[in-house]
Amino acid sequence: MKQVPSGTGPAAVPCGPGGGRGRRHVRRTHRQRGIVAVEFALVFPAFFLILYAIVTYGVILATQQAITLAAAEGGRAALRYPAGATNSAGSLALRTASACSAVQAQLAWLTAAALGTGCGSNATAPGVSVQTAACPYGTATGASCLTVTVRYDYAGYPLLPRLMGAWSLPTPEQLVGRAVVQVHPTYLM
């Protein structure tokens, strides 16, 4: 067997809690903790803003989809045969009321203040409106078009709180859903 001079070889490597390498490692880890805290403080706001944007725009898109679906359901409800109509004007009034109630039922989960409780004919105000007019593409047949418009005032009634006030993410003022159905004159009664 070969003799290893003292202070070299495997026996000379300090190990355990009293060795020199262990203390240096502990000091380095202690310094790293401060750096990690600084990095976290710098990176966390950016990650939180990205997460908040994903959630906010996801809620906005889901609400927009629900509003568009509610307008389409209102249009379908307006197409159903109204019982009790004696003339075409009464039939259109019953169809309008049916469309409004279908939209209100679909959007019962939204705030009544932002959506309104009734059904109006003003298509630019927040709420539900049903307008009846002659169809521009069905003039030869004399068909009537019912336009169901749903507007949600998102600026006045946001679904999620805004961060940082005016410095917040850009969001729409209103969410709008619209559906147009054509009612042939022979089907009005």
Side-chain angles (χ1 to χ4, degrees):
M1 236 166 95
K2 194 172 172 184
Q3 274 277 334
V4 178
S6 159
T8 62
V13 175
C15 60
R21 292 172 85 190
R23 271 186 255 157
R24 273 190 253 129
H25 181 67
V26 170
R27 284 188 203 134
R28 190 176 305 134
T29 303
H30 181 67
R31 278 191 235 131
Q32 287 292 329
R33 276 192 227 143
I35 292 173
V36 169
V38 170
E39 288 174 353
F40 178 77
L42 292 175
V43 172
F44 176 74
F47 280 134
F48 180 75
L49 189 61
I50 291 169
L51 177 69
Y52 179 77
I54 289 170
V55 171
T56 299
Y57 290 126
V59 168
I60 288 172
L61 290 174
T63 306
Q64 175 64 52
Q65 185 67 24
I67 287 172
T68 303
L69 176 69
E73 285 297 319
R76 283 187 204 95
L79 284 178
R80 286 189 223 116
Y81 183 75
T86 57
N87 57 17
S88 61
S91 173
L92 284 175
L94 286 174
R95 288 174 188 272
T96 299
S98 177
C100 286
S101 63
V103 170
Q104 294 291 347
Q106 284 283 322
L107 297 178
W109 59 276
L110 284 177
T111 343
L115 199 57
T117 54
C119 185
S121 60
N122 185 359
T124 60
V128 181
S129 69
V130 179
Q131 296 176 323
T132 307
C135 289
Y137 43 82
T139 55
T141 62
S144 295
C145 277
L146 280 94
T147 304
V148 180
T149 306
V150 181
R151 289 184 181 273
Y152 180 81
D153 182 19
Y154 192 83
Y157 302 93
L159 297 171
L160 292 175
R162 296 182 64 122
L163 291 180
M164 302 177 290
W167 297 96
S168 188
L169 297 171
T171 56
E173 296 289 320
Q174 288 186 344
L175 302 177
V176 181
R178 184 174 289 120
V180 179
V181 294
Q182 181 178 1
V183 181
H184 197 271
T186 58
Y187 300 119
L188 277 177
M189 294 292 298

